């Protein structure tokens, strides 16, 4: 396996996975700390399910370590009780897309903690557009909200960045190991019961597995299969990510968001260009 | 006066494809070594005497890649004869038999030049004789040539089923990553065709659909003929690519058949009608001085005195494709163009 | 729990020499002893190091620190530093004082412990502040006299101002003029008043209505913007910075931080631990515990009182209108102790909420309407790292402009040259300068076997040199004669480059130069010269056994001056005093050990002089100075090239035999040193990895 592959593993089995770069996941600080003790410098990041009650135990982890907290919007206020983690680590909140999203994003970003919308947990996307408008226009928002931020900046620079780039499911770069040591490319694929390997020392992948070839040939499949994604006007901001697991996924709220991002980026580019002209 | 000459070399009229609406009358011959040598020698002699002229060699077919990498290596050798002159190579291919070795050879030959190709994302008119899926083989070839750095232009044949899908078609080609899109209306196929034909109003409607999508997307993907029309609208006195008016092929065009026969138009070659010489026996200069070589200009003069005389869209259309309509007649797509121009003009 | 950086508000004494009516601190005689202090900070450092904290800022508050003797905080600070160093924690000290007890006796402490920076408090008009019966305007006059004395000695003061009802009757323009024009302050922070602790009895008087306070703040902000004269008026500036540059670039006051519990805690004179001095004084029942009674700070920090405070921001978000407020991310609900005192419940928003909103509105309006602020943003690159500035225009010359010195440094090589200045020194120097200019010298260094600032003709020399066409003038000084006036006169005469000799911190420096008070003079000089924005400001430190263990701390301090461009660490030739005191000079292997931890990344201004290359291979070295640098000591002497002057060094034989690849760039080792210790030490040195 290439050294560049980052493997996300449950903290409880971290020591069983032979990989150069690990992201360890858990809901309990103790487990994270224990895993860190076992695998040390191979840890490239931490993923916590919520702010654990015993978060203080994480204090011994190296500062600047990327730490991602998975949060439901209703639990967003907890970020204020844990601001020390933002001072200590490279902290971001991975927020479920669900009711209360706007308020959740508002709270977390007000505490100057960046938010990443968790597209593996899309329950209710009805507040997506309000969250985007908050990100684009509200003066309280001074930290990135992903995917909005990268998509907007990409459009502004004329080099769009897609969801597939922001939430990679590339087996050559990212692997996801579940509790039963099965290997796939992301949590949502694991939840969908789709795997292409298992852990036996290192991650053993079966390159003939259907999922593997689906992932490798993802773009080709879209263009030769007559998929709607191939002719979607926001394809460059998605790359077919949203419908990879469920081809019937309702992208409508996302499409609106993508089109708004494109329009606003165009507006800003125009303003900047006119401002540049004025200065000249 | 220096000329731009489009030199279309069809080394074969054979094709691995079996597209329902193809208008090439497929014959079995491949261009032999004497013919290709005579072609380059003739071109070299001509350029020696007319060093200011510029030549674009379009490798066309049938499917030119059926000639294989060795043929094009031979061509690379002959290229030395004309290397001092301004000659650009481009190719039209379905890309379905592209191999890495051939792509490497073509890289050397085409240099900065691009490859034109065709695929139909929403209908299955395009097929391969082998029964393999055309879109998959095409996509693999497309990825291969993109990986070698080729610019790829898409030539999309608009048929009856295309109408209503303009926006999707535009975005499909933009998403797949081609560098340009050229729209061609489906004309008379060489074989029996049972699919959905295109009529003139539908052609206009389709143009409008795709134009709206193009405009909405701020013209991110160059689409012909819109780019040319936009160019004319912007600066009438600076003809694009040396074309005096819209919707015109380059004149003179030298279309060379596998036998060395020369036609003044690719379409005439495809149907085997109206040869104006043969490069094995005639010099290129002699061929170009034949009155038939400039038949399009003559046609335009005729049309402007006749039925197109009062047309306000003449500069954008100029009578349309000459070969498809015949010498004395305006384009069969006239109504569609009018419909489109008027809608856009509003 | 904390991030990598934490602040400690340290109240070593509750004693105060002022009797201010609006103070929330009860006055008692409680003062922590040095022994208790050691216990307290030993426990604190153990805990903080254990939880991954690396940097600690210690804010010394009172009571009033200056009711203690100047030596007390110095000793206390040294103990704290030693404990923190032992725990791999880096500590910085800041002082908040009413200044009424200030006198020059404090300077050594202020420079050594607080880097010459003081925070003080002054209200305008003064209503509540009182010092020994002095109140009202007289208090401010008394304060200003001490302030003038402090700043004339190069100390820097910032001020906290607490508005009162009379303040709101003053025009914001007059308020601004008082602090910045009349007093010449560069940094003022406005804090809002609250009545707690002893001042609760005057709650009706002290508390201000949010509406008029908001109007005052908004109007004052307009004045601040219209003046745009480079001073800092907070919280305005920090709010602007937050809006324009983002949180990381802004240093906002504690009452606007997202959760103060994550940022600091307070230690009282009896070892009590609370959130801040305001909590400690006003609501001692809310203290978290006592570090003298509990060995583990961690146990104290999980006290229910602290956890209640920690949950405040979350509670505000869940249960108050704060979430809907457009300024939540700027204010974060404001100050909990103000909420407690004003509304009786810390889980309420700050009682000055409306005033803050008006201020935020004014700031936001200004920021959005000021393209130049955004231009700064768009042009803002990452803060430029400090970089070493070295070298001068050649040829250059050195003029010995004084043979007299008030120091007697233990390493002074030209000690034998020190004497009374010859009666015709002026003529000699004038002739020399003229000769140098005529022979094309572009740079002139004013130095001496002694201290150039003792020569009253120094400014005249500089003026002549500049008039004669010499481009760059350098002054070497021990700082003793440097005053604001002299720096200005030298600047006008064309001196824009300085070397200030500082050989240690506090007493270390004084022991090395063998004159008490010289450390304060050296730092004062550094501060005054720094304030004149010279082209080059180099600090020169001669390495010896007395200072070699505190070099890093010294370099940290000099880096704190924004205009320093180089810090040169040098080994003196074994001549004069250095030879006499050779037992106090550095041995090379020890030096190599000490310099090994100094990296250009951490100390980018460091450069070594006369140090063998292999002793510190990662640091930049000055090689043998070029021939174009010439030296003349007396009229009777010929001008000689510096290379000849460097003849005291030799390349050790073992280095030649081993084929050292750095022979061309290495200065070698002093001949007398080699005679003293032989080649064995060199062999050991070059044999080690």
């Amino acid at each position: 396996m290439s050294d560049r592959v980052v493997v996300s593993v449950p903290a409880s089995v971290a020591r069983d996975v032979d990989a150069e770069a690990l992201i360890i996941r858990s809901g309990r600080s103790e487990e994270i700390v224990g895993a860190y003790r076992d695998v040390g410098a191979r840890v490239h990041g931490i993923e916590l399910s919520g702010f654990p009650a015993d978060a203080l135990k994480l204090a011994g982890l190296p500062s600047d370590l990327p730490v991602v907290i998975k949060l439901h919007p209703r639990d967003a206020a907890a970020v204020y009780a844990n601001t020390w983690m933002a001072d200590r680590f490279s902290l971001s909140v991975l927020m479920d897309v669900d009711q209360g999203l706007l308020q959740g994003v508002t709270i977390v970003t007000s505490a100057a903690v960046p938010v990443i919308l968790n597209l593996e947990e899309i329950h209710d996307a009805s507040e997506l557009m309000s969250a985007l408008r908050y990100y684009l226009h509200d003066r309280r928002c001074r930290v990135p909200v992903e995917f909005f931020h990268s998509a907007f900046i990409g459009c502004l620079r004329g080099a769009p960045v897609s969801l597939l780039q922001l939430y990679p499911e590339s087996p050559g770069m990212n692997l996801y190991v579940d509790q039963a040591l099965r290997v796939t490319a992301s949590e949502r694929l694991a939840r969908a019961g789709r795997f292409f390997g298992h852990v036996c020392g290192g991650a053993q992948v079966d390159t003939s597995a259907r999922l593997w070839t689906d992932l490798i040939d993802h773009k080709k499949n879209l263009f030769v299969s007559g998929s709607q994604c191939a002719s979607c006007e926001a394809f460059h901001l998605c790359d077919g990510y949203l419908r990879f697991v469920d081809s019937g996924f309702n992208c409508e709220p996302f499409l609106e968001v993508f089109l708004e991002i494109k329009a606003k980026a165009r507006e800003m580019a125009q303003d900047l260009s006119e401002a540049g002209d004025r200065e000249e | 006066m220096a000329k731009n000459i489009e030199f279309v070399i069809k080394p074969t009229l054979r094709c691995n494809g079996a597209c329902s609406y193809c208008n090439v009358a497929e014959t079995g011959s491949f261009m032999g070594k004497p013919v290709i040598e005579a072609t380059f020698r003739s071109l070299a002699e001509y350029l020696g005497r007319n060093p200011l002229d510029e030549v674009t060699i379009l490798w066309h077919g049938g499917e030119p890649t059926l000639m294989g990498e060795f043929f094009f290596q031979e061509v690379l050798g002959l290229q030395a004869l004309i290397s001092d002159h301004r000659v650009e190579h481009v190719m039209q291919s379905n890309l379905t038999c592209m191999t890495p070795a051939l792509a490497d050879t073509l890289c050397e030959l085409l240099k900065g030049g691009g490859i034109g190709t065709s695929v139909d994302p929403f209908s299955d008119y395009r097929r391969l004789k082998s029964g393999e899926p055309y879109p998959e083989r095409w996509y693999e070839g497309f990825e291969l040539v993109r990986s070698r750095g080729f610019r790829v232009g898409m030539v999309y044949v608009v048929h009856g089923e295309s109408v209503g899908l303009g926006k999707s078609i535009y975005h499909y080609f933009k998403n797949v990553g081609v560098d340009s899109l050229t729209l061609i209306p489906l004309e008379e196929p060489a074989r029996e065709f049972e699919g959905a034909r295109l009529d003139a109003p539908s052609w206009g409607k389709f143009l409008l659909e795709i134009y709206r999508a193009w405009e909405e997307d701020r013209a991110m993907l160059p689409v012909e003929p819109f780019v040319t029309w936009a160019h004319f609208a912007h600066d009438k006195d600076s003809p694009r690519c040396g074309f005096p008016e819209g919707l015109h092929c380059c004149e003179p065009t030298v279309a060379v058949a596998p036998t060395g026969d020369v036609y003044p138009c690719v379409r005439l070659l495809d149907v085997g009608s109206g040869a104006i010489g043969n490069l094995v026996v005639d010099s290129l200069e002699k061929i170009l001085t034949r009155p038939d070589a400039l038949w399009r200009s003559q046609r335009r003069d005729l049309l402007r005195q006749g039925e197109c005389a009062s047309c306000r869209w003449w500069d954008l259309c100029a009578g349309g494709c000459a070969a498809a309509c015949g010498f004395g007649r305006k384009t069969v797509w006239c109504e569609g163009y009018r419909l489109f121009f008027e809608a856009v003009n509003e | 729990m904390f991030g990598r950086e934490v602040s400690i508000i340290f109240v070593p004494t509750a004693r105060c020499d002022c009797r201010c009516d609006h103070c929330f601190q009860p006055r008692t005689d409680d003062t922590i002893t040095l022994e208790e202090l050691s216990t307290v900070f030993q426990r604190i450092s153990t805990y903080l190091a254990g939880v991954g904290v690396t940097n600690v800022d210690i804010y010394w508050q009172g009571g009033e620190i200056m009711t203690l003797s100047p030596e007390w905080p110095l000793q206390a600070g040294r103990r704290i530093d030693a404990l923190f160093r032992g725990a791999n924690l880096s500590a910085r000290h800041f002082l908040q004082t009413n200044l009424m007890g200030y006198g020059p006796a404090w300077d050594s402490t202020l420079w050594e412990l607080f880097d010459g920076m003081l925070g003080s408090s002054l209200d305008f008009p003064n209503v509540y502040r009182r010092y020994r019966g002095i109140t009202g305007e007289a208090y401010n006059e008394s304060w200003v006299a001490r302030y003038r004395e402090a700043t004339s000695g190069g100390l820097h003061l910032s001020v906290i101002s607490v508005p009162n009802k009379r303040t709101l009757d003053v025009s914001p323009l007059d308020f601004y003029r008082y602090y910045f024009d009349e007093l010449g302050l560069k940094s003022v922070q406005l804090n809002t008043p609250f009545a707690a602790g002893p001042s609760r009895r005057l709650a009706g008087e002290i508390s201000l209505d949010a509406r008029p306070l908001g109007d005052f703040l908004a109007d004052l902000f307009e004045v601040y913007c219209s003046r745009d004269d480079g001073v800092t008026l907070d919280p305005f500036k920090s709010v602007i910075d937050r809006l324009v540059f983002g949180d990381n670039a802004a240093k906002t006051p504690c009452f606007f931080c997202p959760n103060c519990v994550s940022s600091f805690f307070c230690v009282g004179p009896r070892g009590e631990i609370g959130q801040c001095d305001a909590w400690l004084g006003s609501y001692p029942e809310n203290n978290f515990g006592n570090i003298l009674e509990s060995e583990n700070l961690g146990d104290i920090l999980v006290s229910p009182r602290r956890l209640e405070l920690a949950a405040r921001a979350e509670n505000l978000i869940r249960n108050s209108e704060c979430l809907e407020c457009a300024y939540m991310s700027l204010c974060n609900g404001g100050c909990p102790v103000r909420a407690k005192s004003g509304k009786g419940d810390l889980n309420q928003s700050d009682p000055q909420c409306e005033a803050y909103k008006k201020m935020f509105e004014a700031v936001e309006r200004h920021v959005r309407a000021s393209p130049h602020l955004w231009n700064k943003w768009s042009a803002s690159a990452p803060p430029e790292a400090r970089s070493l500035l070295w070298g001068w225009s050649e040829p250059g010359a050195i003029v010995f402009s004084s043979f007299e010195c008030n120091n007697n440094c233990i390493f002074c090589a030209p000690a034998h040259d020190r004497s009374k200045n010859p009666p015709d020194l002026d003529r000699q120097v004038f002739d020399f300068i003229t000769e140098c200019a005529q022979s094309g010298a572009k740079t002139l260094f004013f130095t001496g076997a002694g201290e150039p600032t003792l020569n009253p003709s120094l400014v005249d020399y500089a003026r002549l040199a500049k008039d004669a066409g010499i481009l760059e003038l350098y002054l070497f000084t021990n700082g003793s004669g440097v005053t604001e006036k002299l720096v200005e006169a030298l600047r006008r005469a064309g001196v824009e480059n300085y070397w200030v000799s500082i050989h240690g911190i506090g007493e270390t420096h004084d022991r090395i130069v063998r004159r008490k008070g010289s450390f304060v003079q050296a730092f004062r000089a550094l501060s005054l010269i720094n304030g004149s924005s010279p082209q080059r400001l180099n600090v020169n430190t001669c390495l010896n056994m007395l200072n070699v263990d505190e070099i890093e701390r010294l370099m940290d301090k000099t880096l704190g001056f924004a205009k320093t461009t180089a810090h040169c660490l040098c080994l003196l030739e074994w001549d004069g005093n250095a030879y006499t005191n050779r037992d106090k000079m550095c041995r090379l292997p020890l030096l190599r050990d000490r310099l090994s931890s100094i990296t250009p990344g951490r100390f980018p201004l460091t450069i070594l002089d006369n140090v063998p290359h292999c002793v510190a291979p990662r640091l930049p070295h000055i090689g043998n100075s070029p021939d174009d640098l010439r030296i003349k000591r007396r009229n009777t002497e010929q001008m000689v090239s510096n290379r000849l002057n460097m003849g005291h060094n030799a390349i050790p034989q073992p280095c030649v035999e081993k084929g050292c690849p750095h022979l061309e760039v290495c200065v070698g080792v002093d001949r007398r040193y080699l005679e003293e210790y032989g080649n064995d030490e060199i062999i050991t040195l070059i044999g080690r990895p």
Side-chain angles (χ1 to χ4, degrees), chain C residues 323-618:
Chain C
L323 179 60
E324 302 305 323
C325 174
Y327 300 110
M328 183 179 84
S329 65
L330 291 177
C331 148
N332 292 297
C335 172
V337 79
R338 284 173 171 79
K340 170 97 173 157
S341 69
K343 297 181 172 177
D345 179 4
L346 68 88
N347 281 316
Q348 296 285 319
S349 61
D350 193 300
Q352 297 298 351
C353 174
E354 291 307 316
Y356 296 150
K357 278 184 188 168
K358 281 207 166 173
M359 177 183 71
F360 292 141
E361 272 165 23
V363 177
E364 191 186 18
R365 219 171 26 243
H366 167 75
V367 166
R368 286 184 184 275
S370 308
H372 71 280
L373 291 173
W374 298 103
N375 290 343
K376 274 191 217 164
W377 170 76
S378 56
S380 68
E384 208 175 312
R386 302 281 290 277
S387 56
L388 177 70
L389 185 58
W390 192 261
W392 49 79
S393 303
E394 293 171 358
I398 290 173
V399 53
F400 274 44
S401 40
S402 175
F403 294 90
E404 294 173 5
C405 195
N406 44 2
N407 288 349
N408 182 20
C409 302
I410 59 169
F411 46 71
C412 182
H416 56 276
D417 269 342
R418 283 194 276 120
S419 62
K420 285 273 181 206
N421 285 336
D424 62 342
L425 179 64
D426 282 355
R427 190 186 52 76
Q428 284 188 40
V429 173
F430 285 136
D431 288 351
F432 179 81
I433 291 171
T434 308
E435 185 192 339
C436 285
Q438 284 168 352
S439 62
K442 293 179 180 160
T443 305
L444 188 64
F445 296 85
F446 292 103
T447 177
E451 166 57 30
T453 61
L454 295 177
N455 187 333
S457 304
L458 180 63
V459 176
D460 295 333
Y461 298 164
R463 201 175 293 120
L464 171 72
K466 203 70 184 177
D467 290 347
I470 296 176
L471 300 176
E472 292 176 14
L473 305 181
Y474 281 75
L475 173 66
F476 277 67
T477 177
N478 64 25
S480 57
V482 174
T483 60
E484 251 178 309
K485 201 171 152 191
L486 179 65
V487 172
E488 178 57 18
L490 287 169
R491 192 186 64 76
R492 285 171 187 274
V495 179
E496 292 193 280
N497 305 284
Y498 290 88
W499 287 74
V500 181
S501 295
I502 303 181
H503 304 297
I505 298 171
E507 284 174 358
T508 307
H509 176 91
D510 289 0
R511 276 164 54 209
I512 290 169
V513 306
R514 296 193 280 203
R515 183 167 63 85
K516 201 164 171 48
S518 57
F519 165 74
V520 169
Q521 289 176 339
F523 260 81
R524 182 184 61 195
L526 192 60
S527 172
L528 292 172
I529 295 165
N530 184 72
S532 73
S533 296
Q535 279 182 4
R536 285 180 176 78
L537 175 51
N538 299 343
V539 175
N540 187 45
T541 301
C542 294
L543 298 160
N544 59 71
M545 292 304 288
L546 303 187
N547 65 14
V548 75
D549 285 330
E550 60 183 45
I551 286 302
E552 288 191 25
R553 282 174 59 215
L554 179 60
M555 291 203 296
D556 263 333
K557 275 184 178 290
T558 57
L559 265 176
F561 291 88
K563 299 295 178 186
T564 46
T565 49
H567 191 143
C568 182
L569 306 179
C570 60
L571 280 182
L572 264 289
E573 62 259 43
W574 270 31
D575 200 357
N577 287 354
Y579 188 70
T580 310
N581 297 311
R582 57 191 180 278
D583 58 319
K584 295 193 179 73
M585 298 300 110
C586 274
R587 297 286 292 272
L588 295 178
L590 172 82
L591 191 60
R592 177 161 149 156
D593 280 347
R594 297 299 185 272
L595 295 185
S596 65
S597 61
I598 296 174
T599 60
R602 165 118 195 269
F603 296 108
L605 305 187
T606 307
I607 187 163
L608 302 180
D609 182 15
N610 199 29
V611 176
H613 189 277
C614 61
V615 168
R618 288 183 300 169

Side-chain angles (χ1 to χ4, degrees), chain A residues 56 59-60 63-64 74-75 77-78 80-81 83-84 87-88 103 106-107 110 112 139-140 142 279, chain C residues 1-4 51-52 242 247 258-259 262 310 313-314 317-318 323 325-326 328-329 332 364 368:
Chain A
L56 297 186
S63 49
D64 291 333
R74 69 173 163 269
D75 300 323
Y80 265 89
T83 47
W84 70 272
D87 296 335
R88 176 71 65 85
Q103 197 172 73
T106 308
I107 292 169
S110 290
R139 54 204 171 204
R140 282 173 288 185
R142 303 185 312 277
E279 268 181 26
Chain C
M1 188 40 60
F2 309 108
R4 278 162 296 165
V51 296
R242 270 180 93 164
D247 291 82
N259 193 337
S262 301
E314 192 176 346
I317 287 161
R318 291 192 190 281
L323 179 60
C325 174
M328 183 179 84
S329 65
N332 292 297
E364 191 186 18
R368 286 184 184 275

Side-chain angles (χ1 to χ4, degrees), chain B residues 46-308:
Chain B
Y46 174 84
L47 287 171
R49 283 190 291 272
N50 301 278
L52 296 178
D53 282 5
E54 292 178 16
V55 174
T56 302
I57 298 178
L58 167 62
W59 296 91
H60 206 287
E63 173 49 45
T65 60
L66 290 180
M67 300 302 289
E69 63 189 276
F70 298 110
F71 172 81
F72 287 104
Q73 279 168 5
E74 190 82 20
V75 171
L76 270 174
L78 293 168
Q79 169 72 9
L81 295 172
I82 55 171
S83 59
D84 292 341
H85 300 282
R86 279 181 283 183
V87 177
E88 186 194 14
H89 291 263
V90 293
M91 179 177 272
Q92 176 72 24
S93 165
N94 63 29
L95 297 178
T96 57
C97 20
M98 189 60 70
T99 63
L102 179 55
D104 290 341
T105 304
L106 292 178
C107 241
E108 216 177 318
L109 180 66
L110 270 60
K111 293 195 172 70
I115 295 185
T117 187
S118 296
V119 74
D120 195 331
F122 301 112
S123 305
D124 67 346
Y125 296 143
R126 290 197 177 268
R127 294 173 202 148
L128 295 175
K129 287 175 181 159
S130 64
E132 291 179 284
Y134 183 101
E136 284 191 49
R137 294 293 86 79
W138 172 82
Y139 189 86
E140 287 158 9
F142 170 67
E143 288 228 302
L144 179 58
V145 296
R146 288 303 300 247
S147 71
R148 297 295 196 279
F150 285 98
R151 285 182 295 115
V152 180
M154 176 59 57
V155 178
Y156 177 70
V157 176
V158 183
H159 45 76
E161 288 182 10
S162 310
V163 183
L165 295 174
K167 188 173 181 179
S168 298
I169 287 167
Y170 172 81
H171 284 292
Y172 178 93
F173 288 123
K174 187 187 165 202
N175 293 343
V176 83
V178 297
D179 297 291
S180 65
L181 170 63
T182 301
L183 305 170
I184 308 274
L186 171 62
E187 291 171 353
E188 195 52 40
R191 289 187 280 273
E192 195 175 328
F193 177 63
E194 292 175 352
R197 300 282 185 131
L198 187 71
D199 57 22
S202 303
W203 168 238
K205 191 175 166 213
F206 179 81
L207 282 177
L208 201 54
E209 282 170 17
I210 212 157
Y211 181 81
R212 296 291 184 223
W214 184 66
E215 199 178 39
E216 201 179 312
D217 194 41
R218 308 259 167 150
M220 296 301 281
L221 175 67
V223 178
E224 288 293 1
F226 304 149
V227 173
T228 300
W229 284 336
H231 180 82
F232 276 123
H234 186 251
D235 184 4
K236 260 185 177 178
D237 299 328
S238 170
R240 184 181 164 81
C241 308
F243 299 173
E245 282 132 355
L247 287 183
H248 263 279
C249 298
C250 186
E251 190 169 77
T253 291
V254 177
V256 187
T259 55
D261 285 344
V262 174
Y263 297 79
C265 163
V266 178
R267 302 289 299 278
L268 295 178
L269 187 158
D270 288 344
V271 295
S273 154
I276 53 173
N278 183 296
L279 278 177
V280 180
V281 292
D282 301 319
S283 74
L284 185 55
E285 267 176 327
K286 181 184 168 192
I287 292 171
L288 288 177
T289 51
R290 284 193 52 155
D292 301 359
L294 301 174
W295 70 299
R296 289 195 205 87
S297 307
Q298 295 157 14
R299 171 178 174 263
R300 279 201 305 278
D301 292 343
L302 190 68
L303 290 175
R304 289 209 76 170
Q305 291 160 25
E307 54 184 329
C308 299

Side-chain angles (χ1 to χ4, degrees), chain A residues 195-274:
Chain A
F195 297 90
F196 50 66
H198 64 282
V199 170
C200 181
Q204 309 296 318
V205 296
D206 174 7
T207 54
S208 65
R210 175 70 192 274
L211 174 59
W212 180 276
T213 53
D214 280 354
L215 286 165
I216 298 295
D217 292 337
H218 176 53
K219 200 169 173 184
K220 176 185 169 189
N221 292 341
L222 292 176
F223 284 107
V224 302
S225 69
S227 153
Q228 284 183 345
C229 293
S231 53
C232 172
E233 55 189 306
F235 180 78
H236 289 293
L237 292 176
C238 172
D239 269 347
Y241 173 86
L242 291 170
R243 286 189 171 176
F244 182 75
V245 174
D246 172 9
S247 60
F249 179 79
N250 173 23
C251 315
E252 209 47 46
F254 284 86
L255 186 58
E256 277 177 41
V257 159
F258 289 143
L259 296 181
E260 180 79 357
I261 286 172
K262 283 169 75 172
K264 293 302 171 197
R266 211 151 45 206
E267 230 172 73
M268 185 181 252
Q270 178 79 20
D271 288 350
L272 289 172
S273 149
E274 282 167 11

